Amino acid sequence: MGALHVGHLSLVRASKATCEITAVSIFVNPTQFGPNEDLAKYPRTFESDCALLEAEGVNLIFAPSVEEMYPAGASTWVEVEGEGDRLEGASRPGHLRGVATIVSKLFHIVAPTHAFFGQKDAAQLAVLRKMVRDLRFDLQIVGCPIVREPDGLALSSRNRYLSPEERQQALVLNRALRAASELVAAGETSSAPLLAAMREVFAAEPSARVDYIAIVDPDSLQPIEDITRRGMLAVAAYIGTTRLLDNLLTAQITRSGINRRES
């Protein structure tokens, strides 16, 4: 949706390493915003975004208008039942329907062989993978690692909303994930103590308003009680008025903690 940062550029670089031609869409999609969300103030930095993409050697920037993507009277939606109702889908009703609808339109127009999405938006990634399977899109969804600031904060276009004080408070999301990851690295596989560890970290940061703390299967987004086979730690919280997300795949945790390749 624009307001590009290094995390977005990591997707570009992954595409360029895989594909002969790299296209980037920039479109602030109105249907994935709820009635009281930040559509009107969402950062729009098109000129600087284009300069960054040109410097990366992107072949095509596709920046359609709302009228092009949603013709007058449009009433067709793509909705992924199940996955689309969990995590972000539960907290933001209609959000993942808007994501699936616009991405299916983009796939139809551009017809890519590969599509690159960041792991930070884990619910979006799961929904799009399911949509591609169910609708038989002839392309490969590639999930790319979360890119973080040196202190651990996951990069997000919404980070620019944070005041300096809120920027420090926002580190609670990463601290919570690290607290649970230390238990996993020590051999813990039961979700209950991992959830308790994350909740304890958030309880020590009263400025953070928790939306959800969950341990789920990364594909179905269903809660799981044990991470022996696989799992994902996921958190969402408001810092001031800014809603932030973070997550960690348990497969990225080693005996020494979080695998640094993740960041």
Side-chain angles (χ1 to χ4, degrees):
M1 293 200 298
L4 300 186
H5 51 64
V6 175
H8 295 117
L9 299 184
S10 74
L11 308 182
V12 170
R13 292 163 190 164
S15 174
K16 287 179 64 67
T18 305
C19 307
E20 291 185 18
I21 295 174
T22 292
V24 175
S25 64
I26 297 179
F27 181 69
V28 180
N29 178 32
T31 67
Q32 67 190 68
F33 289 81
N36 298 312
E37 294 185 340
D38 58 343
L39 174 60
K41 71 171 187 175
Y42 193 84
R44 292 162 171 83
T45 56
F46 184 69
E47 295 302 325
S48 60
D49 290 346
C50 288
L52 287 172
L53 295 174
E54 289 168 5
E56 292 291 331
V58 166
N59 301 93
L60 173 70
I61 299 171
F62 180 48
S65 67
V66 172
E67 292 73 23
E68 287 176 290
M69 299 308 293
Y70 294 100
S75 59
T76 300
W77 299 96
V78 176
E79 191 156 8
V80 180
E81 294 184 354
E83 290 85 349
D85 303 318
R86 299 170 190 140
L87 293 189
E88 293 300 285
S91 294
R92 303 174 64 190
H95 166 67
L96 291 172
R97 181 181 78 161
V99 169
T101 300
I102 195 61
V103 173
S104 68
K105 290 175 183 245
L106 293 169
F107 287 170
H108 173 67
I109 293 166
V110 179
T113 60
H114 298 72
F116 298 82
F117 294 90
Q119 175 62 38
K120 184 180 73 68
D121 295 302
Q124 170 181 280
L125 187 56
V127 162
L128 296 179
R129 281 176 167 152
K130 185 64 159 51
M131 180 189 78
V132 164
R133 287 195 298 267
D134 289 355
L135 298 183
R136 300 292 187 181
F137 278 102
D138 186 18
L139 62 90
Q140 179 181 344
I141 295 282
V142 181
C144 297
I146 296 172
V147 179
R148 300 182 181 279
E149 298 281 5
D151 59 8
L153 183 67
L155 291 183
S156 169
S157 298
R158 289 185 168 94
N159 288 352
R160 65 185 66 200
Y161 295 158
L162 301 170
S163 68
E165 182 180 8
E166 290 170 341
R167 171 64 178 72
Q168 290 302 306
Q169 295 165 351
L171 295 175
V172 67
L173 280 81
N174 186 249
R175 288 201 304 271
L177 295 177
R178 287 187 172 274
S181 76
E182 289 172 3
L183 295 179
V184 175
E188 182 60 68
T189 61
S190 176
S191 294
L194 304 180
L195 290 166
M198 290 191 285
R199 292 182 184 123
E200 183 177 354
V201 171
F202 273 104
E205 182 57 78
S207 60
R209 179 162 58 91
V210 174
D211 187 342
Y212 59 75
I213 298 171
I215 299 178
V216 300
D217 177 275
D219 289 329
S220 70
L221 306 181
Q222 289 274 28
I224 55 175
E225 296 181 357
D226 187 276
I227 63 163
T228 300
R229 294 185 59 190
R230 62 194 308 231
M232 181 175 70
L233 318 175
V235 295
Y238 288 89
I239 306 297
T241 60
T242 304
R243 185 173 180 275
L244 299 177
L245 308 176
D246 206 346
N247 65 81
L248 177 64
L249 298 171
T250 57
Q252 295 168 336
I253 301 172
T254 68
R255 286 291 177 181
S256 59
I258 297 178
N259 188 327
R260 295 310 300 170
R261 288 179 298 175
E262 186 268 344
S263 58

